[in-house]
Amino acid sequence: MSDLFKQYKNLRDKVDIQSNKLEKQHSRHMACQMGCDLCCMDYSIFPVEFYSIREALKTKDLKLDLSSVNKAGTCVFLKDHKCTIYDERPIICRTHGLPLLFMNDEDNWELSACELNFTEFDFSDFTNENTFPQDRFNSELFMTNKTFLQNFDEKEFGEFDLIPIKNLIDEIKSE
């Protein structure tokens, strides 16, 4: 099954390279650090990410403490303000805190960044070179998922289907 995830992992590596570059570039404006979990939400992700994470977690001795209750809407893998699946986290989680450039519903470019970051930064100084091109990577993720679904036999999904990340808990427990 690992061949099914090769394209996704290559994309994830590209996202990490871009994210790391931007984190260094904006380090003095970034408040993100271990323990900050403002962005750790109960996301839904494409099947390629879901099943890639599931496969990786199968090989780890992940001790999930399901007895502690998170705030509603918070990621189930957040424990004591730390991500328990950090190395395998989805792409959306790899870009948290960065200045994200994307096309909004009105076909205008929009910039988004964590409210804790860039508090003393002139937003007119953001350029294509110092922002994360979210649409480009999301498009590549969509196409990667589409390819994955053409070769995935375990379940059937449509190309726009998303799976709540919290459903990984049931998948891991049933192993």
Side-chain angles (χ1 to χ4, degrees):
M1 178 158 325
S2 63
D3 283 349
L4 280 174
F5 303 119
K6 189 173 188 160
Q7 187 179 1
Y8 168 69
K9 289 181 179 181
N10 288 337
L11 173 60
R12 194 176 71 181
D13 290 345
K14 287 188 338 188
V15 167
D16 284 346
I17 289 167
Q18 180 71 19
S19 295
N20 290 336
K21 178 184 141 202
L22 290 171
E23 285 173 16
K24 286 177 185 152
Q25 191 174 359
H26 294 299
S27 63
R28 67 178 227 245
H29 299 288
M30 303 282 290
C32 301
Q33 58 185 324
M34 188 180 292
C36 179
D37 59 13
L38 187 64
C39 300
C40 300
M41 305 306 238
D42 185 19
Y43 293 108
S44 291
I45 56 179
F46 280 120
V48 67
E49 290 193 280
F50 184 90
Y51 287 99
S52 176
I53 294 169
R54 183 190 74 177
E55 289 304 304
L57 295 181
K58 280 183 185 179
T59 65
K60 296 183 179 188
D61 186 23
L62 188 64
K63 294 183 176 33
L64 296 173
D65 177 15
L66 302 177
S67 62
S68 65
V69 178
N70 287 347
K71 294 184 302 189
T74 302
C75 182
V76 296
F77 293 104
L78 183 66
K79 298 296 174 211
D80 299 322
H81 303 283
K82 293 179 193 160
C83 178
T84 59
I85 62 167
Y86 187 81
D87 291 339
E88 302 303 327
R89 70 199 185 283
I91 286 177
I92 189 170
C93 302
R94 293 167 185 274
T95 64
H96 284 328
L98 298 173
L100 307 174
L101 188 62
F102 63 96
M103 186 72 67
N104 66 21
D105 292 337
E106 287 84 40
D107 292 332
N108 295 314
W109 287 107
E110 191 168 322
L111 183 67
S112 172
C114 176
E115 63 194 55
L116 302 177
N117 296 335
F118 305 101
T119 56
E120 295 178 21
F121 188 86
D122 185 350
F123 274 64
S124 65
D125 290 338
F126 281 121
T127 65
N128 287 338
E129 287 75 37
N130 67 6
T131 57
F132 188 85
Q134 188 172 14
D135 287 345
R136 186 181 87 208
F137 283 106
N138 282 349
S139 294
E140 197 168 336
L141 176 59
F142 179 83
M143 296 308 292
T144 299
N145 184 64
K146 192 172 179 177
T147 301
F148 169 79
L149 292 177
Q150 292 168 351
N151 300 292
F152 186 65
D153 298 328
E154 189 175 322
K155 272 186 176 174
E156 191 161 323
F157 293 97
E159 61 186 28
F160 296 101
D161 288 345
L162 299 172
I163 307 169
I165 195 169
K166 65 184 170 193
N167 290 9
L168 278 166
I169 298 292
D170 292 332
E171 293 277 335
I172 295 166
K173 285 184 352 187
S174 68
E175 293 296 323

